[in-house]
């Protein structure tokens, strides 16, 4: 079997549909686990994705564009999430100190930080259980592969957008 035929056979074994089913199955389990807690806080997984992004950013918060980019979400949806989280008391808008600048940042309130911290801890526990059968070497390889796949997907997306 040629190198190309061998590589094609390997790619067939990990086709995107099969790969995405594995990821979605795990993601669905994580969402189900967090769903009850999120419901108590009147939040969706979409909300919490933005909240965790802000939680990881720290006290200074992020601009709407930074949040949108980091959460991998378009700006209009991010704007709706920000308004929703603000109305629930989980997020505040921070004006720039230079009043001539119309930009603002958004940051979590104390309640928002606590919710994001708790959900982050639950998601970390879920991740730990998902990779518990991997030894340190396998885990390093897995992380390296995810990073390579992510870079490859981003490059492919850029090429695809350039061709449009």
């Amino acid at each position: 079997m040629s190198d190309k035929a061998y590589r094609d056979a390997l790619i067939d074994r990990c086709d995107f549909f099969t790969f995405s089913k594995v990821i979605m199955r795990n993601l669905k389990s994580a969402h189900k686990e967090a769903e009850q807690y999120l419901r108590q806080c009147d939040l969706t997984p979409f909300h919490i994705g933005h909240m965790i992004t802000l939680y990881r950013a720290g006290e200074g918060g992020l601009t709407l564009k930074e949040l949108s980019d980091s959460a991998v979400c378009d700006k209009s949806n991010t704007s709706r999430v920000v308004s929703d989280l603000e109305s629930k008391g989980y997020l505040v808008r921070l004006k720039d100190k230079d009043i001539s600048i119309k930009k603002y940042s958004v940051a979590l309130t104390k309640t928002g930080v606590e919710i994001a911290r708790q959900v982050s801890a639950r998601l970390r526990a879920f991740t730990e259980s998902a990779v518990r059968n991997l030894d340190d070497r396998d885990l390093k390889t897995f992380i390296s592969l995810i990073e390579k796949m992510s870079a490859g997907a981003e490059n492919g997306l850029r090429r695809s957008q350039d061709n449009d």
Side-chain angles (χ1 to χ4, degrees):
M1 181 182 284
S2 73
D3 287 346
K4 181 174 178 357
Y6 178 71
R7 182 164 178 85
D8 285 346
L10 289 175
I11 290 172
D12 287 344
R13 285 181 55 199
C14 66
D15 72 285
F16 186 78
F17 182 71
T18 303
F19 178 73
S20 64
K21 281 194 313 188
V22 170
I23 298 299
M24 292 307 292
R25 202 174 292 129
N26 287 329
L27 190 58
K28 189 174 180 180
S29 295
H31 282 197
K32 277 185 180 179
E33 182 179 314
E35 196 173 76
Q36 182 178 2
Y37 177 72
L38 293 178
R39 215 177 293 129
Q40 292 171 0
C41 303
D42 193 25
L43 296 170
T44 67
F46 198 62
H47 288 117
I48 203 64
H50 285 74
M51 290 176 72
I52 289 174
T53 300
L54 286 168
Y55 176 68
R56 291 177 178 164
E59 288 182 25
L62 297 170
T63 65
L64 197 60
K65 179 172 178 9
E66 291 168 335
L67 178 57
S68 177
D69 290 347
S70 295
V72 191
C73 182
D74 63 72
K75 200 171 174 182
S76 63
N77 280 328
T78 296
S79 183
R80 279 191 289 276
V81 169
V82 164
S83 293
D84 204 21
L85 291 173
E86 185 178 35
S87 72
K88 295 174 190 307
Y90 299 139
L91 179 144
V92 292
R93 296 173 197 245
L94 307 169
K95 292 268 186 189
D96 194 288
K97 291 178 183 169
D98 180 354
I99 58 171
S100 66
I101 298 175
K102 293 183 181 179
K103 275 182 154 179
Y104 62 89
S105 295
V106 292
L108 295 174
T109 62
K110 287 182 182 181
T111 304
V113 166
E114 183 56 25
I115 290 169
R117 186 194 65 71
Q118 288 181 22
V119 173
S120 282
R122 288 175 182 211
L123 291 175
R124 179 173 172 85
F126 178 80
T127 300
E128 286 174 0
S129 71
V131 299
R132 74 174 163 259
N133 293 334
L134 302 178
D135 61 25
D136 289 352
R137 186 171 153 251
D138 288 341
L139 188 54
K140 285 179 185 178
T141 299
F142 180 66
I143 292 166
S144 176
L145 291 171
I146 289 172
E147 289 169 349
K148 286 179 182 178
M149 289 170 64
S150 177
E154 286 178 25
N155 290 337
L157 181 60
R158 269 191 233 110
R159 281 193 301 269
S160 172
Q161 290 171 342
D162 290 345
N163 291 334
D164 287 346

